[in-house]
């Protein structure tokens, strides 16, 4: 059974940092590109970042470029999103998903809530 | 960037109704791969507190395990999700997503309410 489990969310002050993790199981992680998507309160889904299966390509939404870094460890079946210089508008539930541009994301995690507030 | 305009943003319907949701892309998103024409668009169902669920991929292919009352159609710039007979468990928000190119872009969502 394919499973994705996010963690690392929480309350952080503006300008602060958080690192989200997504641990996966049930599939061969190094065969798949991976993606982070977020949903701000009362808003729709927004693509944040994607990484290729071998981590040689990373892409970011303009709204997070230069502040967020996506990475992965194919031995530990883990995806990360390092979020720096956080702003109030980054407040959202963050989801990791299997797939990206080459494969429409199919499996998603349950999400982890990030709240940026003083 | 490819913009996805989804309509309506919300709708009220009853159990048994036929429901149609539309997504329009700001440009043709077809991807010609030689003899195979790829339609890089999918549809998702999202319920509060849950993971989004993929319903349709390739514009018209039903995800395994998804009831056959869901169907997708369209090509180029206009795509449609149809629920042939709305069931109680279908009340949710629906999104289209284009993966023709980065940035991946979602439609604004359609909330289906009783």
């Amino acid at each position: 059974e394919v499973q994705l489990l996010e963690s690392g969310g929480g309350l952080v002050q503006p300008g602060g940092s958080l690192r989200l993790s997504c641990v996966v199981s049930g599939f061969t992680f190094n065969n798949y590109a991976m993606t982070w998507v977020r949903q701000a309160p009362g808003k729709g889904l927004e693509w944040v970042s994607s990484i290729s299966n071998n981590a040689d390509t990373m892409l970011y939404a303009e709204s997070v470029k230069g502040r967020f870094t996506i990475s992965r460890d194919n031995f530990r079946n883990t995806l990360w999103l390092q979020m720096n210089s956080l702003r109030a508008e980054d407040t959202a539930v963050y989801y990791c998903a299997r797939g990206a541009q080459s494969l429409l994301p199919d499996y998603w995690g349950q999400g982890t809530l990030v709240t940026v507030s003083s | 960037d490819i913009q996805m305009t989804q309509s309506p943003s919300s709708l009220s319907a009853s159990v048994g109704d036929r429901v149609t949701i539309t997504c329009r892309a700001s440009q043709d998103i077809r991807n010609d791969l030689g003899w195979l024409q790829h339609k890089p668009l999918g549809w998702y169902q999202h319920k509060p507190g849950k993971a989004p669920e993929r319903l349709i991929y390739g514009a018209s292919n039903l995800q395994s395990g998804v009831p056959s009352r869901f169907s997708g159609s369209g090509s180029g710039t206009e795509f449609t999700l149809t629920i042939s007979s709305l069931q109680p468990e279908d009340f949710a928000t629906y999104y289209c997503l284009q993966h023709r190119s980065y940035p991946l872009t979602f439609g604004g969502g359609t909330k289906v309410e009783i």
Side-chain angles (χ1 to χ4, degrees), chain A residues 53-70:
Chain A
N53 66 316
N54 58 7
D56 63 354
T57 302
M58 289 80 80
L59 297 111
Y60 301 93
E62 282 298 321
S63 57
V64 307
K65 197 174 289 184
R67 300 187 298 122
F68 289 13
T69 302
I70 191 171

Side-chain angles (χ1 to χ4, degrees), chain A residues 39 95 100-101 104-105 108-109, chain B residues 44 46 51 54 95 99-100 102:
Chain A
Q39 183 177 36
Y95 298 95
Q101 192 247 339
L104 181 74
W108 299 56
Chain B
Y44 295 87
H46 192 201
R54 191 172 83 171
Y95 296 91
H99 62 114
R100 171 65 174 84
Y102 287 107

Side-chain angles (χ1 to χ4, degrees), chain A residues 23-58:
Chain A
V23 178
V24 312
S25 60
F27 65 97
T28 304
F29 185 54
N30 62 15
N31 283 349
Y32 290 88
M34 298 292 294
T35 289
W36 288 98
V37 171
R38 68 184 180 184
Q39 183 177 36
K43 303 292 186 181
L45 299 174
E46 178 191 17
W47 173 75
V48 174
S49 181
S50 295
I51 187 169
S52 61
N53 66 316
N54 58 7
D56 63 354
T57 302
M58 289 80 80

Side-chain angles (χ1 to χ4, degrees), chain B residues 9 20 31 39 44 47 50 54 61 70 73 94 106:
Chain B
S9 57
T20 300
N31 205 343
K39 301 176 185 178
Y44 295 87
K47 296 179 180 178
K50 298 210 167 184
R54 191 172 83 171
N61 299 290
F70 291 93
S73 63
Y94 294 83
F106 290 89

Side-chain angles (χ1 to χ4, degrees), chain A residues 96-115:
Chain A
C96 65
R98 187 178 80 167
Q101 192 247 339
S102 58
L103 169 68
L104 181 74
D106 51 6
Y107 290 94
W108 299 56
Q110 297 281 345
T112 186
L113 176 62
V114 172
T115 303

Side-chain angles (χ1 to χ4, degrees), chain B residues 2 12 15 32 72 88-89 106:
Chain B
I2 299 173
S12 295
V15 172
D32 288 317
E89 60 269 29
F106 290 89

